[in-house]
Amino acid sequence: MTKQRLRFFEKASSQQHIPDDHKYLYKSPEPNHRLAIIGTGTIGQEHMYVCSLLGRGRVYGIYDQQLHSMDVAKQNFQSYSDQPLVLYSDIESLCNDVNVDAVMICTPNFTHFSILKQVMSSGKPIFIEKPMATNLENSATLVELASDYSSFVQIGLQYRYKAQYIEAFHELHSRQSIGDIKTISMSEYRPPFLDKVDQWNKFSEYSGGTLVEKCCHYFDLINLMANSLATRVYASGGQAVNFLDLKHQGRSANIDDHAFVIIDFANGVRANFTLNMFCHDFTEELVVTGERGRLTTKETFNFHQNKPSEATIGIEKGEWGASRESHVAYSQEIEQSGHHGATYYEHIAFMDQLDGIASDPATPLQGLWSIIVASAAQHSLQTGQVVDVRQFMVDNNLAHYLG
Ligand SMILES: NC(=O)c1ccc[n+]([C@@H]2O[C@H](COP(=O)([O-])OP(=O)(O)OC[C@H]3O[C@@H](n4cnc5c(N)ncnc54)[C@H](O)[C@@H]3O)[C@@H](O)[C@H]2O)c1
C-alpha cells in the first residue's frame, strides 16, 4: 500500500521550511525501479514525466534514434527532475546495462515487433505501447513470445484507467447496476492525428491503419465491457477530409479519418463504435444498456477554450432503482499528467507488477484481441462485407485463440 501524499502542500511555498528529514506527508517515495525508455517522442516523454510524478521508479536512461528527440526529452526532463539521465547510443547498450530494471518501448507502431524481440533478449520486464504490432501475424507471434518469456510484458492500453471507465467497470461488473448488458455504444469525435516524427501515423503501412492504431483502445474497452469474444464485425468508413493533400517524402497520406463499426459478441452483446477525426475538439462517449437500466459516460476536452478535460458518468434505472449523474475526476496534477490521468494509473499497475503485487494491466492476449477486432473491422471496411471472426481467425492461423 502506497502511503498518502499531499503534493499540493509539498509544493506550496508556505511549506518549504519543513526540513527533508522532518517530512512525512510531503515526502516522495524512494524510487525502487530504474526504467529505460526507447523512443522519446510524445508518449515517451509522457511516460518520463508520469514516472517522475509517481516516484516509485525513476527514469534512468533513454534512447531515441533521432538525436533531436533525445535532446528535447532531456531538456524537458531537467525542468522537473534533478536526477541524472543516461543517453544511450543504441538499444543494445540500453538492454545490456545492468542498472536498468525495466524497459519501456515507445517507438512508432511498425517498429514494435522487432524492438520487442530485441529487448526480450535482456530478460527484463517490458512495457510496450499500443498497438503491440501493426498486423495480426506479428501480434500473435508476440503473444506466444510473451507467454514463454521469463519476465512480463505489459501493453499500453491505458484507457481502461480513465476515471469514468474505472467507475463504469465497477457499476457494470461489480455492482451490476444495470443487470445483464445487452448493447454497448462508444464514440470518439476528435481532431486529426497529430504531427509525428516522419509522419508515421499518416501511412497505414506504418501505423497498421486507423482502426488498429487509434481504435485498439476502444476495442479493448468494448471487449472488456462485453466480457466475451467478438463473433461478427462490420465496418464502413474512409478518408473524407484529413490529409488529402499531405505528401511526405513523395507519398500521399492514406489514413482513414472516420468509421462506423458494428460488433456482435458470443454472449449476445451487441456493440458499435463511431470514429470521427475531423472534429474541432475531443469528445468520447459511452452508452451501455442492460436489462435494468442505462449507463452513460462522457468526456470532453475543448483545447480551443483552454479548458481542462471533464468527465461525467450517469446511471439511469427508471423504476428499477435510484438514478444519478456525477462528475468524475482524478486529482488535478494526475489528471493533467497525460491522457486524463490514465497513464499515471497505468504506471501504478506497472510498478505493482515490478513489486510482485497483483494488478490488472493490459496483457498481450488482450492486446491481441483488440487487434483482432480492429483488423476484422479494417478488412470489412476494405471489402464491404461482414467479417465472420471465426473464419477470419482460421484464415489468419489464429484458430487456437478461439477457445
Ligand atoms: N497509449 C496511448 O494513449 C498512446 C498515445 C500516443 C502514442 N501512443 C503510441 O506510442 C508510440 C509512439 O507514439 P508517439 O506519439 O510518441 O510518436 P512520436 O513520433 O511523437 O515519437 C516516436 C519517437 O520514436 C523515435 N523512433 C522511431 N523509430 C525508432 C527506433 N527504431 N528506435 C528508437 N527510436 C525510434 C522517433 O525518433 C520519435 O522520437 C506509438 O506506438 C503510438 O501508437 C500511445
Side-chain angles (χ1 to χ4, degrees), residues 146-163:
S147 70
D148 292 336
Y149 191 47
S150 52
S151 186
F152 68 85
V153 177
Q154 179 173 330
I155 312 293
L157 289 163
Q158 88 282 37
Y159 281 26
R160 58 179 68 193
Y161 298 117
K162 286 189 179 190

Side-chain angles (χ1 to χ4, degrees), residues 261-315:
V261 181
I262 294 176
I263 311 156
D264 290 345
F265 285 90
N267 63 356
V269 171
R270 291 199 165 89
N272 69 53
F273 173 69
T274 297
L275 175 73
N276 183 298
M277 299 190 70
F278 37 93
C279 214
H280 66 288
D281 66 2
F282 292 85
T283 307
E284 200 171 289
E285 280 184 288
L286 167 72
V287 183
V288 185
T289 313
E291 291 169 316
R292 294 176 174 226
R294 184 167 67 158
L295 175 144
T296 54
T297 70
K298 183 169 184 178
E299 176 191 310
T300 52
F301 175 39
N302 188 334
F303 57 91
H304 292 287
Q305 304 304 326
N306 209 12
K307 286 185 184 157
S309 65
E310 281 188 3
T312 55
I313 184 165
I315 308 280

